[in-house]
Amino acid sequence: MARPLLMIPGPIEVSPAVLDACSGPPPSHVSPGIIDAVGVAIARMREVWRSEDDSQPFILSGGGTLSMEVALCNVLEPGDRAVVVHTGYFSARFAEMARRRSATVVVVHAEPGETADLSRVHAALKAAPTKALLITHVDTSTGVRTNPKPLCELARSLGTLSIVDGVCATAGETFEMAAWGADVYLTASQKALGLPPGLALMVASSRAFSARHRLSLQPPMSMDWRQWLPIHAAYEDRRGSYFSTPNTTLIHALRVSLDEIVADGGIHGRIARHQRVADELRGAWSHLGLSLLCVQERNAANTLSAVRYPAGVGPELISAVKARGVVVAGGLLPDFKAQYFRVGHMGYVTEEPELLRRTVQAIGEALIACGHSCDVVGAVAKITG
Ligand code: PMP
């Protein structure tokens, strides 16, 4: 049987050019090709992140969880106060990380499927001097997108640093790091950036970097921005350097994927395509008689759909979809996970309507097999490409 189509919210299907860049013997970290790839990738990250010229991109080996932790331990130290905008599973992780850094953590909860109330975040920030506001751009457990703009602007106006988890958003959702005054926007390679898992990526503002300089408790060495800064600066000047061996294969692929992103109508064109695909898929879900976990459609993510099972259908749907050649994911939000499933729609598949149609068809046919009657042909027709 042919390889199933991977439609989970990361890892995702990658483009043929990225796949090609991942093959072959691993290059040396100081080979001319890798020195150039890192230099180009750093510049492209500022472009994709829409960050200031003096912002600092970091390319580290690891996942999204490492990215979150690196950001926190370069900004927070024991006794600092952090406010967490809690929209789901990954915001809870952010809060726990800040607690483990011995920060005082205040959590502003959103109802499942909702975004947090801005006035409550404002009140939490105003209650005491706060070092950092932690935001999850798209919480992958709910498919809800938080608009970081008013939150970052609010934080900035109060002298609080904003740290935004863009793991399920970067390069698929609008983010204007410089214009919104955001301080750290972090992600991982396996989502809308269009790579296999393995790279932890972030951009830090000069304000965030100054916070690192003022820390009295140093971060662990391998996670310290100050340790990594001269390495990244050397590569940007097209000189090889060494602190800890980077993932050269993935860095080569990163350059290819960032080139694809900026070539294709630039970052804005890329995000507009994610938006259009998400709109079409939501049209298909609704035609199949399905609804989203996300309460207000305007807050539904471009990068994934968290879709409620219809009456009489449960998690057995996932294996029925897989039997039709498509892999989707189960629910992730504790207490609700048996009520919904998740479909990722980011990166390469957004350029391939045929793959999206295959996904809708597999889900529609699986729903029928599980006892839910629906119009599969009509739903597939919602994907116009
Ligand atoms: N934050 C968000 C929003 C995520 O979706 C994920 C991964 N699904 C993570 C953090 C953690 O990333 P990783 O699994 O690469 O550690």
Side-chain angles (χ1 to χ4, degrees):
M1 189 176 153
R3 184 177 68 84
L5 178 64
L6 191 58
M7 295 297 289
I8 63 174
I12 61 166
E13 295 287 334
V14 302
S15 75
V18 167
L19 199 59
D20 191 46
C22 291
S23 63
S28 153
H29 58 292
V30 289
S31 62
I34 289 300
I35 291 174
D36 196 49
V38 178
V40 170
I42 288 173
R44 293 261 190 276
M45 280 175 69
R46 288 197 191 92
E47 211 174 324
V48 169
W49 267 242
R50 308 270 303 145
S51 65
E52 293 100 335
D53 290 345
D54 66 353
S55 65
Q56 183 58 53
F58 291 99
I59 304 168
L60 307 178
S61 296
T65 305
L66 183 91
S67 256
M68 295 163 77
E69 204 130 44
V70 167
L72 288 197
C73 73
N74 278 277
V75 167
L76 289 180
E77 62 186 341
D80 283 339
R81 185 173 190 266
V83 170
V84 179
V85 182
H86 188 303
T87 45
Y89 183 92
F90 290 101
S91 321
R93 181 173 293 187
F94 238 170
E96 176 58 16
M97 281 177 181
R99 276 184 213 107
R100 290 186 187 200
R101 191 76 183 152
S102 300
T104 302
V105 178
V106 176
V107 177
V108 180
H109 281 274
E111 292 297 318
E114 303 258 21
T115 55
D117 182 41
L118 189 61
S119 62
R120 289 182 47 226
V121 179
H122 193 189
L125 287 174
K126 292 269 300 214
T130 304
K131 184 81 160 288
L133 177 65
L134 313 183
I135 304 158
T136 311
H137 193 174
V138 168
D139 204 301
T140 325
S141 65
T142 59
V144 173
R145 174 183 56 224
T146 289
N147 181 4
K149 180 175 188 280
L151 293 165
C152 294
E153 289 174 348
L154 176 63
R156 190 93 176 77
S157 72
L158 297 170
T160 296
L161 296 169
S162 53
I163 303 181
V164 186
D165 171 352
V167 173
C168 199
T170 309
E173 304 281 359
T174 300
F175 196 82
E176 297 286 333
M177 185 157 174
W180 300 348
D183 291 300
V184 183
Y185 192 43
L186 63 92
T187 193
S189 50
Q190 73 272 21
K191 304 217 189 215
L193 280 178
L195 295 156
L199 293 180
L201 304 138
M202 74 201 69
V203 176
S205 73
S206 56
R207 296 174 297 274
F209 219 84
S210 311
R212 159 65 193 96
H213 285 297
R214 289 195 302 272
L215 288 182
S216 34
L217 176 69
Q218 301 212 44
M221 197 167 169
S222 65
M223 299 165 76
D224 187 354
W225 285 342
R226 275 174 80 166
Q227 198 72 43
W228 282 107
L229 178 68
I231 310 299
H232 284 72
Y235 277 91
E236 208 175 351
D237 290 346
R238 302 300 189 271
R239 285 180 287 111
S241 191
Y242 170 74
F243 162 55
S244 171
T245 310
N247 188 329
T248 51
T249 300
L250 280 182
I251 285 173
H252 183 46
L254 174 67
R255 187 229 166 111
V256 171
S257 82
L258 290 171
D259 276 349
E260 284 182 341
I261 290 170
V262 297
D264 174 24
I267 181 62
H268 293 123
R270 167 95 165 187
I271 290 165
R273 195 176 65 235
H274 278 72
Q275 170 83 61
R276 186 173 42 72
V277 162
D279 286 343
E280 289 190 357
L281 283 170
R282 283 193 282 272
W285 311 143
S286 155
H287 196 82
L288 290 171
L290 305 174
S291 62
L292 299 181
L293 191 70
C294 180
V295 177
Q296 283 160 316
E297 184 145 344
R298 68 186 156 82
N299 296 331
N302 289 346
T303 50
L304 85 152
S305 298
V307 188
R308 290 180 184 278
Y309 296 118
V313 178
E316 71 278 6
L317 180 75
I318 293 170
S319 39
V321 176
K322 185 158 183 216
R324 288 160 179 82
V326 176
V327 181
V328 297
L332 188 59
L333 201 60
D335 302 338
F336 288 86
K337 56 170 136 197
Q339 296 179 22
Y340 69 102
F341 64 102
R342 296 173 303 145
V343 184
H345 31 86
M346 51 192 129
Y348 177 63
V349 296
T350 63
E351 296 167 43
E352 298 292 321
E354 206 39 57
L355 301 180
L356 300 169
R357 283 193 272 271
R358 225 167 100 189
T359 303
V360 173
Q361 172 138 4
I363 292 173
E365 287 174 359
L367 282 165
I368 291 174
C370 292
H372 171 80
S373 61
C374 54
D375 169 21
V376 180
V377 173
V380 171
K382 298 285 178 190
I383 311 299
T384 62

